[in-house]
Amino acid sequence: GVLRACEYVRGARKVFDPERGSASRADVTFHYDADTGDLLACCLMAVNAKAKGAERFRKLPRYLPIDGKYLSPGRMLYFLTEIADPVPLAERASTPLFRNPLSGLQIDIAFLRSELKRVMQAAGRPASAIGTHSLRIGGADGPSICGRGRARHQGIWRVEF
């Protein structure tokens, strides 16, 4: 759900370009408790994929749930960027938020589809039962399930939940 599918992966002709809306590691900030050091919040600066003209490049803050009852995309993003695949601070602005672990390049839709198929098969589920759009739906449902509001109010979706 954190990927929100096609907004954070490039298509066949798109290249990683943070100035034109590509999500980089610098677009993620974590907030910690000053006394305990506990993770309190995760903010992702993201573009509104539905926007037109120059507005489609403007990044807006989106807070991701850290300790949701069902989903914790903020904590998963923390795990990805700080533990599983950390990047030196000086390289964050030039590093794709989601990248292929083998090449270091921003993941593309073909890689995302193949990984999704692999995960479904490993779980014993039919690979055709889920597509990349399901990740997008999960990205919108997660905050709603966790009681953090509706994605429509963030300008992402045009339908009510």
Side-chain angles (χ1 to χ4, degrees):
V2 174
L3 273 175
R4 293 196 48 255
C6 298
E7 288 171 31
Y8 297 114
V9 301
R10 63 180 171 80
R13 296 183 354 217
K14 295 181 182 174
V15 296
F16 176 69
D17 184 356
E19 297 298 317
R20 297 186 61 81
S22 297
S24 75
R25 296 290 174 96
D27 290 323
V28 179
T29 55
F30 298 101
H31 305 277
Y32 305 91
D33 184 285
D35 297 324
T36 65
D38 291 342
L39 182 61
L40 296 177
C42 172
C43 180
L44 173 63
M45 298 299 291
V47 296
N48 180 352
K50 302 288 185 190
K52 303 291 183 208
E55 187 66 17
R56 72 181 185 268
F57 302 125
R58 184 168 69 107
K59 294 182 178 182
L60 302 170
R62 299 223 167 83
Y63 285 88
L64 303 176
I66 292 293
D67 291 316
K69 183 175 179 182
Y70 302 104
L71 303 167
S72 299
R75 192 163 301 280
M76 292 306 299
L77 196 54
Y78 174 84
F79 177 79
L80 171 72
T81 61
E82 303 297 317
I83 297 170
D85 186 19
V87 173
L89 186 60
E91 296 175 18
R92 289 185 181 187
S94 61
T95 302
L97 178 56
F98 298 104
R99 62 183 184 165
N100 182 321
L102 301 175
S103 68
L105 299 175
Q106 181 179 6
I107 62 173
D108 59 21
I109 198 70
F111 177 82
L112 183 60
R113 286 180 182 139
S114 71
E115 284 299 294
L116 190 56
K117 181 179 179 179
R118 183 186 63 76
V119 168
M120 292 298 289
Q121 289 172 338
R125 309 287 293 214
S128 61
I130 188 172
T132 57
H133 195 72
S134 296
L135 299 175
R136 186 173 166 78
I137 293 167
D141 286 346
S144 179
I145 290 169
C146 297
R148 301 288 175 117
R150 294 178 295 198
R152 179 180 176 155
H153 292 122
Q154 295 179 356
I156 304 167
W157 292 85
R158 296 183 183 173
V159 297
E160 291 287 345
F161 293 102

